[in-house]
Each structure stands twice: as C-alpha cells, then as structure tokens.
Amino acid sequence: MSFDQNHKQRKGAIEVICGSMFSGKTEELIRRLKRARIARQKVEIFKPQIDQRYHETNIVSHDSNYIPSTPILTSSQILILSNDVEVIGIDEAQFFDNELPNVCEKLANMGMRVIVAGLDMDFLGKPFGPIPHLMAIADYVTKVHAVCMECGDLAHFSFRTVKDASLIVLGEKESYIPLCRSCYVCETEKLKIEKSSTNQTI
Ligand code: ZN
C-alpha cells in the first residue's frame, strides 16, 4: 500500500481521558474500546505492570466492567506489541515512563487510534507523570469529573486520606476521596494546621 492510500484509509489520533480518582476514566476508555470492537477493529489494551489491584491481565473499572489487557513494564513495549492493531487503549497511563508521549505520537502518525486514560493530577494537585505532555499533543482531550465527597459538586482533585508520603499507594478506594477545589483547599489547610500543632508538641 502506498503512503497516499494509507493516509486516506487510516487516520491516526491521540485521545486523552483524564480526571481524578472515581471520575469514570476507565469506564469511558472501556466504552470507546467496546465500540471499536463492535466496528470490527483490532483492539489492543495495555496497562503498567505496577497496577495489580484486581487482576493481572484485565482492565478493571470500579463497576467491574472489564476487558482483557496486557501488563507491560515500559511504554516502548507498546510499539513492539502493536503490530497490525487499529485501536490501542492505555490505562493508568500516569504510571508509565516519560517516553509514552513519543510512543503514542509514533503510533498515531502510523495511522492508529490511541486512547489514553490516566490521572491528570497526583494527590498533591500536581501534574502527574506523562499525562500533561500527552494532553498537549493529543487530538482530543476529555476531562471527566467525580462527585465531591464533601459537598456533592463536581470534583477533580484526589485527596489522600492516609498519611503516606509516597506517590503510589495501591488500594485506592480506602486511601483517597474525590473533592472539588474549595473542599480540597479546605482539607489541605486542615492538614497543615494539624501538622504544625503536632510539631509544636514534640
Ligand atoms: Zn466540595
């Protein structure tokens, strides 16, 4: 097939689905991938090996709606494992290395549809891993929202309820709650006051 024919028949793109925990990122990824399968497109799904909360080889969303996925260690493995694939899904993308945007760009430029889901911010409210870069180079960005556990508004912050300084804590349901901006600011302030008062007593 010549480059021209290839260009007309297959239009690659990068789609990013981002948001806080409990915002339905994985559900939205699964919805898009299932529709691609209905359209008889060849779909391949990857996730970082670090995420083994529920099942080795399945992408599992919180409502147990699952599809099989391949756990991999580095983003460059996606290039090797994506031969002849039309649609690529990548879940928990915030845990991948910083090569991921380059990998996604290469795949999209070859005519593949790449759908990436991940946390856009860590529990400190800072941009998370390769997601900000991916959002910049994506054709489409969808920010999905959770519901604030304090006031019921739309939430896009993941507030950590356990005191652990490491960035990755598995078993997220017990360790995080989604909060809106004002509730997140309020809870963070409370933590600071708590911290300074315990420091004073020591
Ligand atoms: Zn709130």
Side-chain angles (χ1 to χ4, degrees):
M1 191 185 281
S2 75
F3 176 78
D4 256 12
Q5 280 172 312
N6 195 42
H7 173 72
K8 273 176 197 156
Q9 284 180 14
R10 299 174 72 180
K11 283 191 176 173
I14 300 171
E15 299 169 31
V16 172
I17 304 161
C18 63
S20 69
M21 285 174 174
F22 309 103
S23 61
K25 297 180 299 296
T26 302
E27 286 86 344
E28 177 59 20
L29 175 66
I30 289 170
R31 192 186 73 87
R32 292 186 195 183
L33 294 172
K34 281 189 170 168
R35 289 169 67 88
R37 277 198 177 146
I38 292 166
R40 294 201 178 85
Q41 290 170 331
K42 192 157 183 278
V43 175
E44 207 62 65
I45 306 135
F46 302 97
K47 66 172 186 178
Q49 200 143 39
I50 191 167
D51 187 50
Q52 294 177 340
R53 269 175 308 205
Y54 303 99
H55 194 279
E56 245 342 93
T57 54
N58 287 332
I59 282 194
V60 183
S61 67
H62 293 299
D63 65 359
S64 297
N65 191 1
Y66 72 91
I67 39 176
S69 72
T70 309
I72 49 168
L73 283 170
T74 64
S75 60
S76 56
Q77 286 177 273
I78 300 172
L79 289 172
I80 305 159
L81 298 167
S82 298
N83 242 343
D84 244 358
V85 173
E86 291 167 284
V87 183
I88 294 165
I90 302 168
D91 199 24
E92 301 284 0
Q94 75 278 357
F95 292 138
F96 273 114
D97 51 274
N98 288 329
E99 261 306 293
L100 186 64
N102 290 335
V103 169
C104 292
E105 197 164 39
K106 272 183 198 162
L107 295 166
N109 291 353
M110 286 191 285
M112 294 178 204
R113 180 184 175 201
V114 187
I115 313 170
V116 187
L119 288 166
D120 46 8
M121 289 190 286
D122 63 23
F123 73 104
L124 296 169
K126 301 283 180 258
F128 206 153
I131 301 292
H133 189 154
L134 275 162
M135 288 166 80
I137 63 165
D139 302 68
Y140 308 99
V141 177
T142 306
K143 187 146 176 160
V144 284
H145 291 85
V147 176
C148 178
M149 293 295 280
E150 292 286 337
C151 74
D153 273 357
L154 289 182
H156 69 289
F157 287 90
S158 309
F159 183 76
R160 181 176 285 176
T161 53
V162 292
K163 290 175 183 96
D164 189 323
S166 63
L167 204 55
I168 300 161
V169 173
L170 302 180
E172 67 183 45
K173 269 187 175 171
E174 300 80 42
S175 312
Y176 298 91
I177 52 167
L179 293 178
C180 72
R181 182 182 295 280
S182 73
C183 293
Y184 180 82
V185 170
C186 186
E187 290 301 316
T188 309
E189 285 302 312
K190 271 192 220 166
L191 270 186
K192 274 184 201 163
I193 294 163
E194 223 174 85
K195 227 180 176 181
S196 66
S197 64
T198 49
N199 281 348
Q200 276 166 10
T201 52
I202 291 165

